[in-house]
Amino acid sequence: MTPLFSPGMPLPAPDAVTGEFWKACREHRLVVQKCVACGTHRFSPGPVCSECHSFDYVLAESRGVGEVFTYTIVHHVSHPATRAAVPYNAVVVRLADCGGVKLVSNLVDCDNDDIHVGMLVELAWDDVTAEVTLPRFKRLSRSNIGPETLK
Amino acid sequence: MAWPLRDKTCIVGVGETEYTKWGGIARPEFQLALEAILKAVDDAGLDIKDVDGLVTYAQERSEPVAVAQALGLREVRYAGLYPGGGNAACGVVHDAAMALFSETADIVVCYRSRCQGQYGRSSSGVASGVGKGDTVGGIFQFTAPFGLIAPASVYAFEARRHMHEYGTTSRHFGAIAVASYKHAQQNPRAVMHGRPITLEDHQASRIIADPYRLYDCCQESDGACAVVVTRADRARSLKQKPVYITGAALGNGTSDGLDRSRWPDTRWTSAGLVQVAESLYRRAGLGPADIDVAQFYENFTGQVLMAIEDFGFCKRGEGGPFIEGGRIEWPDGDLPLNTSGGNLAEGFIHGLSLVVEGARQMRGQSTAQVADAETCLVVGGPSAPPHSALVLRAG
Ligand SMILES: [Zn+2]
């Protein structure tokens, strides 16, 4: 994938709570915490279920299909590593599975003018360094659209 | 039962340094805090040595203990830091009212000082946890690597969602900027005094983070301001006409927080102030129809529009049409908004300047004075929990 941003762009600093999420990304798996006690999914990762307060969870793997919930096109250069990238998009994707959790990402291989709320998207893994992989998204391919896609 | 603190405390003094564009003041930021505090105490006709409480924002660099030591205060009996940044604008006054009502302290000063030329600008990523290192932790690890660094890009998400659901337009956002700039032309203290803008200027301004343009974003400033708060019984014998704190509320609703991923869908078309508005009106014994003038913290114009909806001045989704036609413009609008020019056009002192303007309106001393105004709503930074708001009443 063509790099979205220049070298030096801030990268995630995995910690005790978020490490397993980023490790799974490295393996091209998008995982979302699911409460063992009540089944509620949560993102971003955290130690406790806000619904039932159980600390027990499993990692559910998402199929990585979803829709654009909202978006922005950033023109302002707020970091040197974004200078060559502006104007670039940032989106909030609502996953079709995993309780419909939302995550911030970017759409790749897509004109900024084509982005709209409700647009169907799928994962496009971006191995930005030897250690870090970020979950970006692209327009959903027709071959992936079926009756089950948004269930 | 009425809220026990209703009308029990008053703002009795206000003060500020000059306000400039960021980088415009060479004096140390700490000195500006002291200057503003001394002016506010002088305005109240009190002796600085009698101040026994200090409250500021958690993000303030001039900490209460340093201020107290520098000014030689006799005794500090209350020192408070309200969590966060601009969201604290009214929270510091709420804190002062609690400290006074409980007789923890007798004279409390709330203050904020910012020299962005000396310490860095919000738009450079300081507000997003992005420092000089090449990694970012906490909740920002899920946003900054995707290019969400300046606050405008983050707040643009809600503006876009509101446009999608309700047909709100960039011109609606622009009407808020035009009103603030119009009011700043009355105010010689305003950074944008002498620089009015039209809706066409707004529409022609460069895009920062779509849908937000330059004039949708609060400016970045240098300056400091302060307010003095004391109990109503004492306030009545002081130099200035007392400004009653009729209602105060702070907090947020369930699942709100800085991690937007955790927000329920309805939170994305709101400024997160629904619960604070409900508490505030109940405590004040008033509703939106009773508000004569309002100061809404502008981080971004869309958040003001959504906050106007949160406070019930119109229904959800009707904020755009509501603000059209000059309704929020002094002197003829039904709800004059940000009568000093606000964060957009007076100065960005993290919103405490809006409390100062609210107090001036209630004293009849605003440069865009609303005739016969008896109540003023002041709303702290929207969409940045824990939120805060005040209802002030003329004494
Ligand atoms: Zn649970």
Side-chain angles (χ1 to χ4, degrees):
Chain A
M1 185 179 293
T2 314
L4 252 66
F5 301 108
S6 302
M9 190 66 184
L11 294 175
D15 55 40
V17 172
T18 66
E20 60 193 5
F21 172 83
W22 293 116
K23 183 167 176 286
C25 287
R26 193 69 204 137
E27 299 159 0
H28 291 196
R29 293 186 302 116
L30 183 67
V31 296
V32 175
Q33 292 175 326
K34 182 183 183 186
C35 175
V36 168
C38 78
T40 302
H41 292 83
R42 60 179 185 264
F43 188 86
S44 60
V48 70
C49 173
S50 306
E51 297 298 320
C52 77
H53 312 117
S54 169
F55 292 94
D56 297 326
Y57 64 88
V58 292
L59 293 176
E61 188 167 340
S62 172
R63 288 183 298 121
V65 171
E67 63 175 346
V68 173
F69 181 74
T70 187
Y71 66 94
T72 181
I73 311 296
V74 179
H75 291 240
H76 171 73
V77 177
S78 54
H79 189 281
T82 67
R83 188 171 302 279
V86 293
Y88 60 88
N89 72 73
V91 297
V92 174
V93 172
R94 172 159 47 191
L95 295 179
D97 55 12
C98 293
V101 298
K102 301 184 189 78
L103 62 159
V104 167
S105 186
N106 310 105
L107 295 192
V108 297
D109 301 329
C110 178
D111 276 354
N112 288 339
D113 288 345
D114 291 341
I115 297 171
H116 56 273
V117 173
M119 183 176 176
L120 301 182
V121 296
E122 63 180 318
L123 271 170
W125 289 107
D126 186 358
D127 299 316
V128 290
T129 69
E131 291 81 34
V132 176
T133 296
L134 296 177
R136 306 212 207 260
F137 285 81
K138 61 184 178 186
R139 186 192 289 276
L140 184 66
S141 339
R142 278 178 194 285
S143 58
N144 284 344
I145 300 178
E148 298 301 307
T149 299
L150 290 176
K151 292 263 173 71
Chain B
M1 196 185 79
W3 186 48
L5 271 68
R6 186 190 295 174
D7 293 328
K8 291 300 194 316
T9 58
C10 297
I11 295 175
V12 295
V14 299
E16 71 247 304
T17 66
E18 74 275 33
Y19 297 159
T20 71
K21 182 179 161 62
W22 69 273
I25 300 181
R27 307 196 302 288
E29 184 183 75
F30 181 57
Q31 178 177 333
L32 299 193
L34 305 177
E35 289 179 19
I37 291 166
L38 287 166
K39 281 188 178 174
V41 172
D42 185 60
D43 178 68
L46 289 163
D47 182 341
I48 184 66
K49 303 243 172 179
D50 290 335
V51 170
D52 62 353
L54 293 164
V55 188
T56 186
Y57 300 39
Q59 290 180 4
E60 171 69 37
R61 282 172 287 261
S62 303
E63 293 186 1
V65 64
V67 166
Q69 196 168 36
L71 293 175
L73 301 190
R74 254 192 295 274
E75 183 182 9
V76 175
R77 299 197 294 157
Y78 184 70
L81 296 175
Y82 190 78
N87 59 295
C90 296
V92 291
V93 179
H94 180 286
D95 235 22
M98 292 194 297
L100 291 159
F101 184 74
S102 63
E103 301 188 15
T104 300
D106 293 331
I107 299 171
V108 180
V109 179
C110 307
Y111 64 95
R112 182 73 173 117
S113 178
R114 299 195 95 191
C115 275
Q116 295 188 294
Q118 292 169 29
Y119 290 98
R121 301 174 57 191
S122 301
S123 62
S124 66
V126 172
S128 308
V130 178
K132 288 195 168 56
D134 53 3
T135 63
V136 58
I139 60 167
F140 300 116
Q141 69 189 281
F142 295 102
T143 52
F146 301 96
L148 286 182
I149 294 171
S153 56
V154 182
Y155 289 79
F157 279 151
E158 294 111 83
R160 172 57 62 187
R161 186 72 201 177
H162 199 278
M163 293 167 85
H164 171 77
E165 285 199 30
Y166 301 113
T168 308
T169 67
S170 171
R171 294 178 77 85
H172 290 138
F173 299 148
I176 292 168
V178 168
S180 290
Y181 273 75
K182 180 182 178 187
H183 301 155
Q185 306 319 308
Q186 302 290 315
N187 179 2
R189 288 182 309 272
V191 176
M192 299 301 174
H193 184 68
R195 297 178 58 187
I197 63 165
T198 64
L199 192 53
E200 283 60 45
D201 293 330
H202 170 273
Q203 290 293 295
S205 67
R206 67 189 170 92
I207 298 172
I208 302 298
D210 177 82
Y212 283 148
R213 297 175 175 279
L214 179 66
Y215 287 127
D216 292 308
C217 305
C218 97
Q219 57 181 329
E220 299 192 71
S221 309
D222 283 6
C225 61
V227 299
V228 183
V229 191
T230 193
R231 282 185 291 280
D233 50 358
R234 178 148 190 199
R236 285 189 275 271
S237 63
L238 292 178
K239 185 167 137 193
Q240 305 289 350
K241 181 176 156 185
V243 176
Y244 287 89
I245 298 168
T246 296
L250 51 83
N252 48 262
T254 186
S255 298
D256 203 352
L258 298 178
D259 180 1
R260 282 166 162 73
S261 282
R262 297 288 186 109
W263 286 0
D265 285 1
T266 52
R267 177 65 181 78
W268 291 84
T269 46
S270 144
L273 282 149
V274 172
Q275 293 79 12
V276 164
E278 198 268 330
S279 293
L280 183 73
Y281 287 140
R282 182 164 29 81
R283 290 173 183 183
L286 298 171
D290 302 311
I291 301 298
D292 295 329
V293 54
Q295 318 297 331
F296 276 80
Y297 184 110
E298 319 107 305
N299 34 20
F300 303 99
T301 52
Q303 273 62 39
V304 175
L305 187 148
M306 291 181 250
I308 287 170
E309 296 177 359
D310 288 355
F311 276 88
F313 291 100
C314 59
K315 291 192 180 126
R316 178 68 58 205
E318 295 178 359
F322 176 82
I323 60 173
E324 282 180 320
R327 192 191 299 255
I328 58 170
E329 292 181 20
W330 178 87
D332 298 323
D334 294 341
L335 184 68
L337 201 82
N338 298 349
T339 43
S340 64
N343 291 345
L344 293 178
E346 185 193 36
F348 179 49
I349 317 301
H350 237 168
L352 191 61
S353 43
L354 298 168
V355 177
V356 170
E357 172 62 10
R360 285 211 172 97
Q361 280 285 352
M362 296 297 91
R363 281 161 43 164
Q365 296 171 343
S366 171
T367 51
Q369 183 61 43
V370 174
D372 305 320
E374 292 183 351
T375 56
C376 182
L377 171 68
V378 189
V379 179
S383 251
H387 303 105
S388 64
L390 299 170
V391 171
L392 304 178
R393 187 173 64 76

